[in-house]
Amino acid sequence: MNAIESDQAVAKKRDYLFDRIGLYLLIFVILVIVSSIILVLPYSNTYIGDYGADEIYLKSFVYLAVVSTAVLILGVFYNIMIWMEGRVSGADQTAPPARKFFVSLGKLMRSVFSKDFGKILRSFVLDVIFLRKFWSISKVRWIVHGLILFGFIGIFLLDVITTVALEFFDSRSFTEPDGWGKLWIRDFGFDLFGLMIMIGLAGAIVRRFVMRPKQLVTGAEDVVSVLFLLVVVLSGFVLEGIGIASGIPGHESHEMYSFVGYLFSAVSPAVSVDAYAQIWFLHAIVSLALIMYIPFSKLFHMFAAPLAMQLNDIVKRGEIAP
Amino acid sequence: MKRDKSRIDLSSIPAKSLVEFDACTRCGECSIICPTGGEAEQVEERTPRGKIRAVRKVVRTLRNPLRAALTSEKKMERMLSDLSESVYQCSICGMCMEACPLSLRTIEMWESLRRSLVDSGLGPKEPHEALVKSIENYDNPWMQPRMQRARWAKKIKSIVDATKEKIDLLYYVGCTASYDPEINRVAQNLVSIAEKAGLRMGILGKAEKCCGSTLLRIGEYERARKLALENVDIFRRTDADRIVTACAGCYKTLAQDYPSLTGTRLPVFHTTQLLAELLSEDRLPLKKDPPGLAVTYHDPCHLGRHTQMYDWPREIISRLPGVTLVEMERNRERSRCCGAGGGLMTLNQEIVFRIAGMRIEDAERTGAQVLVTSCPFCQQTLVEAARRRDNSVKVIDITDLVIELLE
Ligand code: SF4
Ligand code: SF4
């Protein structure tokens, strides 16, 4: 009996060791893939890069981007490992987090890719994307939040589209001054979504700092989060304005399309190519810092809230969570 | 076993709840409506949002080697004891879940957090200890002898011992209705109703034990599990295919917690379900032309937000002759808690009666003279709160109302 038990204990230990190695391997693979993508891209879609001195900024940016996405990924895993200290049905409660992680991952995959896929997709659209309960609570706040959320999603998607069009298809339309992609996506699209974020942030700031409703309390992290977002978006527009005012290639003035950047350009000084590259670098650093800040702040809700809502859709109310 | 008071064991919190702690957006929708930290006290640390923040902070400090190294043992202990203090100043009413735009399942978050505090030697609070001891020694939280449990039924001939005789229905009386002389009436009402409906009802007598609700709410999971297993064992000794209870807390525990505690799903019903069924089948002889009566109904949290039984009591009231229901402004999902649940009555009566007082005010505003509820514990609390406001409304159980209108 004892021999059997100790055999089992040894087997368990071995399994747990495999889980841990598996987890580290998984994180490593993700890091390598993401870093490679960042390092391999030629960045022909950035507004700097072809002008000698700019090279150093672009290179530094690329390496810092690798670091900041690594921090983001590790930060997310750090949080996941805390979740995995909790109870996971189907896993021994004394099991290490790595084991619980793989058990949960398997369960999650099985419930998503099950016959309930349609139902899950529907609740994803209604609860997670559309945030229907929030809509029923306050339309105005929903719009303010939606402007920020959809603004960022929009910018992210346009970034992907631009990158794919430029790097994989070498699309001229994105580089020629009168190209469709250049005018509608790089000029208009980015400005539109950026403006959405700015309006949303302005709404959030007015509500939090001017209207100060009773339900809000403002701690350091609330201030930092909102200011961080604001600085990123604002510095983006300032950069665009300076780019237009300075006639930086790629920023040829298309006031109809870069409508926000054009407004900023009206009050922007014209600077040298070098100075422009430095400002570009500053904007890039703030953006990368924001990425690193996400997993350690309340902004992490952008990952945890959709997941929580989705899990709650899977576990019926009144049933104790698996 | 002596526990290290500067550590916290998260293994009894579902991983899903830990995700939910991170999902909070700090919107504060929950905080303004929380009866304890929000409405009654207005202390941020005791609101759901404040507690979520504290949990995140504590866990992030303990699990971050750098931060942990920079935080003194003493500070860590203080953070944990502050957290424990706030987490227990809550009636587990579930209002925060209802208010939350993300519908975070806060009930589960709070209960499992308390369980983890108990596991880590940080809970329950000192005043709860007498409660735990009483349940352990007497199988009830009221420190009453086991032998007295079925005293209320002594003179009632129609009630039988469910472990010995054939019955249609097993009545799980629960501790409050068994021992509180004021609430005994609820048990007696149910017996009369069953009699009129021709149902043979049995009880477990002194073999019945506390359902374990109080233990579960304060985080004493293992103790509750032991009780639950014993109860299920006793239930099995009867041939009842239906268990009915008149207590919202017992109902929630037997219906919702027992399956995960014991692996057994019991055929349990609340009296409101039974009464609604008997009335809809015309099995109760109702008075023909009683004088009109306006009543308002208080949804107990355990029967409302916890188990979503909003319709049965309303159906009963709508079927009673001459009775009109005037809803309070906050009803059903948004019903205000009486304040007594979650072990708060033992911990902080002052705040409980402040909250219960607000509920009585809600009832007063409807103009109804009678406040009906379906939980003996809510009734106990609201009766006292009404007494403190010169008995502005009469608080009764739903079985009282039905009995009143039977022929
Ligand atoms: S369960 Fe009720 S008392 Fe507890 S935090 Fe939520 S709203 Fe407040
Ligand atoms: S309502 Fe929900 S998201 Fe908002 S502060 Fe409360 S728990 Fe957090």
Side-chain angles (χ1 to χ4, degrees):
Chain A
M1 185 68 182
N2 270 346
I4 297 172
E5 266 174 20
S6 69
D7 272 0
Q8 280 174 345
V10 171
K12 222 177 190 181
K13 266 203 178 131
R14 196 191 51 220
D15 283 354
Y16 289 166
L17 186 67
F18 285 155
D19 285 332
R20 189 169 297 189
I21 295 172
L23 177 68
Y24 291 158
L25 218 64
L26 178 72
I27 299 175
F28 180 71
V29 170
I30 295 177
L31 285 176
V32 168
I33 295 177
V34 174
S35 309
S36 313
I37 295 176
I38 297 173
L39 290 168
V40 159
L41 288 176
Y43 298 96
S44 40
N45 60 337
T46 55
Y47 293 96
I48 68 164
D50 302 331
Y51 321 105
D54 300 352
E55 194 68 7
I56 178 84
Y57 295 116
L58 187 56
K59 275 224 167 81
S60 313
F61 161 74
V62 171
Y63 294 127
L64 287 175
V66 169
V67 173
S68 63
T69 40
V71 171
L72 172 75
I73 292 165
L74 291 174
V76 170
F77 270 99
Y78 164 74
N79 288 327
I80 293 178
M81 284 307 113
I82 290 177
W83 301 341
M84 290 303 124
E85 281 184 41
R87 186 154 48 83
V88 170
S89 76
D92 183 348
Q93 286 325 298
T94 56
R99 157 56 56 94
K100 293 188 198 166
F101 172 73
F102 285 111
V103 172
S104 312
L105 198 63
K107 282 178 58 156
L108 195 65
M109 290 299 153
R110 273 195 300 280
S111 23
V112 173
F113 299 106
S114 65
K115 59 177 184 350
D116 291 337
F117 183 75
K119 229 175 78 194
I120 290 176
L121 191 70
R122 188 170 173 269
S123 72
F124 179 78
V125 172
L126 291 174
D127 293 332
V128 179
I129 304 288
F130 181 63
L131 294 168
R132 62 176 151 178
K133 189 168 174 192
F134 190 25
W135 173 256
S136 70
I137 291 173
S138 162
K139 312 247 180 309
V140 175
R141 280 163 49 205
W142 186 95
I143 292 169
V144 168
H145 177 266
L147 284 169
I148 304 173
L149 171 69
F150 295 116
F152 271 107
I153 292 181
I155 288 203
F156 176 73
L157 289 179
L158 291 190
D159 243 330
V160 173
I161 294 173
T162 312
T163 307
V164 171
L166 279 172
E167 317 302 2
F168 294 97
F169 298 102
D170 198 18
S171 163
R172 295 286 105 211
S173 142
F174 279 75
T175 46
E176 275 161 11
D178 287 325
W180 182 89
K182 164 80 178 98
L183 293 180
W184 285 105
I185 295 195
R186 295 184 73 183
D187 288 349
F188 180 74
F190 277 97
D191 270 28
L192 176 71
F193 287 120
L195 182 66
M196 277 171 63
I197 302 174
M198 279 240 293
I199 297 172
L201 284 173
I205 289 170
V206 167
R207 178 163 181 264
R208 185 174 286 278
F209 300 105
V210 181
M211 290 158 66
R212 291 203 249 169
K214 209 169 141 228
Q215 81 182 77
L216 285 184
V217 290
T218 303
E221 70 171 319
D222 303 298
V223 180
V224 173
S225 300
V226 74
L227 288 187
F228 226 140
L229 295 172
L230 188 71
V231 169
V232 167
V233 185
L234 214 55
S235 64
F237 279 129
V238 168
L239 179 70
E240 195 188 5
I242 293 178
I244 295 172
S246 317
I248 301 291
H251 275 309
E252 291 80 8
S253 175
H254 283 295
E255 56 267 38
M256 296 276 289
Y257 298 93
S258 303
F259 61 107
V260 186
Y262 186 75
L263 284 180
F264 273 77
S265 78
V267 289
S268 293
V271 299
S272 68
V273 171
D274 270 1
Y276 174 80
Q278 283 159 4
I279 301 167
W280 179 93
F281 188 61
L282 273 180
H283 168 65
I285 291 201
V286 187
S287 311
L288 294 179
L290 174 66
I291 289 177
M292 291 196 282
Y293 180 64
I294 291 170
F296 310 101
S297 68
K298 74 169 199 175
L299 294 177
F300 187 59
H301 81 256
M302 70 174 73
F303 296 119
L307 179 63
M309 281 191 276
Q310 208 56 62
L311 290 174
N312 279 339
D313 274 324
I314 296 170
V315 182
K316 261 204 305 215
R317 204 181 244 207
E319 251 174 38
I320 309 295
Chain B
M1 184 173 67
K2 189 163 175 348
R3 299 255 175 51
D4 180 353
K5 295 226 166 179
S6 61
R7 307 224 61 79
I8 186 163
D9 175 1
L10 303 177
S11 63
S12 39
I13 305 182
K16 183 177 81 70
S17 298
L18 290 172
V19 177
E20 290 175 282
F21 280 106
D22 281 353
C24 172
T25 63
R26 299 182 44 74
C27 72
E29 209 59 54
C30 55
S31 297
I32 36 167
I33 205 165
C34 164
T36 55
E39 290 185 315
E41 283 188 310
Q42 303 185 351
V43 176
E44 175 61 16
E45 289 71 26
R46 292 186 178 177
T47 66
R49 171 181 57 196
K51 287 183 279 190
I52 290 175
R53 182 166 196 265
V55 172
R56 278 172 57 91
K57 195 163 170 209
V58 163
V59 175
R60 261 60 186 180
T61 306
L62 281 168
R63 300 300 188 262
N64 180 334
L66 190 69
R67 268 168 96 175
L70 292 175
T71 312
S72 70
E73 191 86 347
K74 230 180 163 168
K75 185 161 179 219
M76 207 55 247
E77 264 181 37
R78 211 182 44 244
M79 274 167 80
L80 278 164
S81 78
D82 287 351
L83 173 67
S84 165
E85 191 58 42
S86 326
V87 170
Y88 279 99
Q89 295 286 343
C90 153
S91 62
I92 318 257
C93 69
M95 195 59 234
C96 40
M97 170 183 77
E98 213 47 65
C100 177
L102 311 176
S103 295
L104 298 182
R105 306 266 172 94
T106 49
I107 294 173
E108 217 172 312
M109 289 158 71
W110 306 141
E111 286 188 0
S112 63
L113 183 59
R114 287 178 176 194
R115 186 178 159 194
S116 120
L117 290 171
V118 171
D119 289 351
S120 312
L122 298 157
K125 307 311 285 179
E126 209 192 301
H128 292 136
E129 271 156 29
L131 211 66
V132 175
K133 272 213 183 82
S134 171
I135 297 177
E136 213 152 60
N137 294 334
Y138 307 109
D139 292 327
N140 69 75
W142 308 120
M143 285 202 234
Q144 296 295 317
R146 273 189 202 92
M147 298 302 287
Q148 301 290 329
R149 194 164 183 110
R151 205 167 74 154
W152 64 272
K154 237 182 188 159
K155 293 203 181 86
I156 306 176
K157 291 275 169 315
S158 62
I159 196 108
V160 297
D161 182 341
T163 57
K164 296 203 177 97
E165 298 192 34
K166 234 184 130 40
I167 50 168
D168 300 319
L169 198 62
L170 169 62
Y171 173 31
Y172 179 82
V173 189
C175 302
T176 312
S178 292
Y179 291 109
D180 184 330
E182 301 251 344
I183 312 285
N184 279 170
R185 212 181 48 248
V186 174
Q188 285 153 2
N189 290 343
L190 193 59
V191 174
S192 319
I193 291 169
E195 230 177 277
K196 293 221 156 106
L199 287 168
R200 195 168 159 79
M201 195 162 80
I203 57 170
L204 297 165
K206 59 182 190 298
E208 185 184 282
K209 291 166 189 283
C210 169
C211 67
S213 176
T214 315
L215 293 174
L216 276 175
R217 304 312 142 225
I218 61 173
E220 289 281 3
Y221 185 86
E222 283 311 323
R223 285 192 163 98
R225 205 164 86 90
K226 189 170 154 276
L227 259 186
L229 288 168
E230 288 169 2
N231 270 328
V232 168
D233 218 42
I234 303 165
F235 292 148
R236 288 220 177 95
R237 286 198 298 211
T238 72
D239 69 346
D241 48 18
R242 282 180 111 183
I243 304 170
V244 67
T245 171
C247 171
C250 297
Y251 174 76
K252 179 223 155 67
T253 309
L254 298 180
Q256 215 170 57
D257 296 312
Y258 272 35
S260 69
L261 275 176
T262 67
T264 309
R265 204 169 278 279
L266 297 166
V268 59
F269 296 82
H270 186 260
T271 30
T272 49
Q273 283 171 293
L274 177 76
L275 292 177
E277 183 188 304
L278 294 177
L279 285 168
S280 71
E281 290 170 2
D282 283 332
R283 289 172 65 184
L284 294 175
L286 294 170
K287 281 186 182 151
K288 290 285 163 314
D289 241 337
L293 178 70
V295 304
T296 187
Y297 178 73
H298 165 75
D299 290 277
C301 302
H302 284 141
L303 213 58
R305 285 180 290 267
H306 286 241
T307 52
Q308 277 85 52
M309 307 255 284
Y310 300 111
D311 294 330
W312 304 110
R314 289 174 173 81
E315 184 179 338
I316 297 170
I317 295 173
S318 73
R319 284 181 187 276
L320 292 175
V323 181
T324 326
L325 174 66
V326 195
E327 291 279 13
M328 284 180 265
E329 196 185 319
R330 282 182 53 181
N331 58 66
R332 299 175 70 102
E333 286 86 354
R334 290 185 82 79
S335 166
R336 195 197 296 270
C337 168
C338 76
L344 198 58
M345 187 60 126
T346 315
L347 198 62
N348 191 343
Q349 292 208 358
E350 200 270 321
I351 202 166
V352 169
F353 286 112
R354 228 186 304 159
I355 299 169
M358 291 191 247
R359 193 54 173 159
I360 295 295
E361 275 178 51
D362 289 347
E364 286 166 4
R365 275 195 293 273
T366 64
Q369 304 89 42
V370 178
L371 170 58
V372 181
T373 185
S374 46
C375 170
F377 203 43
C378 292
Q379 191 188 351
Q380 236 179 11
T381 314
L382 293 170
V383 164
E384 175 58 23
R387 194 189 57 76
R388 293 180 184 194
R389 292 180 61 86
D390 294 331
N391 290 316
S392 50
V393 280
K394 190 175 174 206
V395 184
I396 61 167
D397 184 75
I398 198 153
T399 54
D400 290 324
L401 185 66
V402 173
I403 285 282
E404 191 66 29
L405 292 156
L406 289 187
E407 287 251 275

